[in-house]
Amino acid sequence: MNGIIFILIAGIFVLELGIAGLVYNRNLVKMLLSLEVSFNGAILLVLYISWMLFRPQLAGSLVFFSIVLAIGEISIILSVLIYMFKMKMLNELDQDEIEDDEK
Amino acid sequence: MSLPLDIVFIVLAVMLIVFGAVTVFHRSLVYSAVFLAFLGLTNAAIFYILGFPLLAFIQIIIYVGSGVLFIIIAVSMLKEPKVARVNAGNEVALAVFIVAFAVAVVVSIGIVPTSTGYLSVQGLLQYIMSNSEISIFILLAVLSIALIASISIAIRDNPK
C-alpha cells in the first residue's frame, strides 16, 4: 500500500478534529486553537491535492497567502480577547459565561 | 514508493493526528498552544516531503515562529479559565465525526497518486511575483492594518 495515503487520511482527520473542537469546546481561546488545527488540515489537503494533480504553483501561492493572512487573523482575535479580558468585559474566556452575562 | 518513505509518511500522519487531538482536547490552554506549534512543525515536514520547501520554510518561520509563539505568550499571560464542555449533543457530534471520517477514508483510498511533483523555491517565487502583484500589495496592506489594530487594541486604557 502506498504510504502517502496516510497523509491524506491524517489531513482529513485533522480538519475534522478542528471542526469537532470548534463545536465541542466552549472556551474562546480553545475555539481559536481548534480553528487553527482545522486550518492546518485544510492547507495540507490543498497541497496534497495540488501535488496529486501536478499543478503545484496555484496551490502553493494560495497556501502562501493563507498562512500569512492567518497570522493577521490570530493577532487581531487574540488582541481583542486580551483587551476584553483585561477590561473585565469577560470574567472567563468562556462562551457559556458570556451568554449568561448577556441574559 | 520506497518502504522507508512509507514509514516516514505513516509516522508523520500519526504525529499529525496525535498533536491535533491533544491541541483540541487538552485541558490547559498553554499546553494546547504548545502542541499546536508541534502540529505546525509536523505539517512543515510534510510540505517539504511533498515538494514545497518554500512553504515549509514559511510555515516554520512565520506560522510557528511568530503566530503560534504569539498565542503561547498571550495565553500564558491570561488567567487560566476553567474548561467547560458542551453537555448536549456530544454523542451526535461524535457519531457524525466517525461517519464522516469513515466515508473520507473509503473515498480517499481510490485516489492515491503514484509519483511526486516538485515546486522549487525559485519556481514558486517566480509564479507569485508574475501573477499576484496586486495580491501582494493587498496582503501587505492587510498585515499593516492588522499590526496597527492589534497594537492599538493592546495599549488601549480602561475607558471607565
Side-chain angles (χ1 to χ4, degrees):
Chain A
M1 191 179 179
N2 205 336
I4 192 73
I5 186 72
F6 291 104
I7 297 296
L8 180 57
I9 294 171
I12 294 167
F13 198 90
V14 169
L15 181 67
E16 289 189 1
L17 264 178
I19 295 168
L22 206 61
V23 176
Y24 191 64
N25 289 308
R26 302 296 286 170
N27 185 298
L28 291 176
V29 181
K30 287 286 271 202
M31 289 167 84
L32 175 67
L33 292 175
S34 302
L35 209 60
E36 292 305 316
V37 170
S38 64
F39 167 76
N40 272 291
I43 59 173
L44 183 61
L45 285 179
V46 167
L47 286 184
Y48 182 90
I49 291 168
S50 76
W51 173 84
M52 199 174 67
L53 297 176
F54 296 100
R55 296 181 63 185
Q57 282 95 352
L58 182 62
S61 58
L62 190 71
V63 169
F64 170 78
F65 286 122
S66 66
I67 288 175
V68 180
L69 281 176
I71 300 304
E73 170 217 323
I74 289 173
S75 64
I76 288 286
I77 293 177
L78 262 185
S79 306
V80 170
L81 280 181
I82 290 172
Y83 175 75
M84 292 174 76
F85 188 72
K86 203 169 72 176
M87 295 301 140
K88 307 275 193 297
M89 291 175 191
L90 296 177
N91 295 324
E92 303 277 350
L93 291 171
D94 200 312
Q95 186 67 28
D96 290 334
E97 191 92 3
I98 297 168
E99 284 164 5
D100 289 344
D101 288 346
E102 283 172 358
K103 288 171 190 172
Chain B
M1 209 161 280
S2 62
L3 186 63
L5 199 56
D6 283 352
I7 295 171
V8 169
F9 278 135
I10 292 169
V11 170
L12 285 175
V14 170
M15 283 170 67
L16 208 63
I17 292 171
V18 169
F19 288 143
V22 174
T23 305
V24 169
F25 295 113
H26 202 282
R27 297 182 72 82
S28 166
L29 289 177
V30 180
Y31 279 106
S32 287
V34 170
F35 281 108
L36 181 64
F38 287 133
L39 179 71
L41 290 175
T42 313
N43 236 355
I46 295 172
F47 291 172
Y48 189 81
I49 294 173
L50 285 180
F52 298 92
L54 179 64
L55 293 180
F57 180 75
I58 288 169
Q59 175 86 356
I60 293 173
I61 296 295
I62 298 181
Y63 189 78
V64 178
S66 71
V68 179
L69 204 65
F70 176 62
I71 295 179
I72 294 171
I73 293 170
V75 163
S76 336
M77 287 176 358
L78 294 174
K79 186 180 74 179
E80 187 94 358
K82 64 176 188 292
V83 178
R85 305 282 191 197
V86 181
N87 293 324
N90 277 354
E91 290 78 11
V92 177
L94 186 66
V96 171
F97 178 73
I98 290 171
V99 170
F101 180 66
V103 170
V105 169
V106 169
V107 169
S108 61
I109 283 172
I111 51 172
V112 185
T114 51
S115 59
T116 59
Y118 181 78
L119 182 60
S120 66
V121 174
Q122 207 172 14
L124 181 58
L125 284 179
Q126 211 165 16
Y127 182 83
I128 290 174
M129 294 309 288
S130 59
N131 293 301
S132 320
E133 298 101 340
I134 299 171
S135 308
I136 290 173
F137 285 121
I138 293 172
L139 189 74
L140 286 175
V142 168
L143 280 181
S144 309
I145 291 167
L147 180 71
I148 294 166
S150 49
I151 291 174
S152 64
I153 289 168
I155 62 173
R156 185 174 290 182
D157 288 330
N158 195 341
K160 290 173 185 174

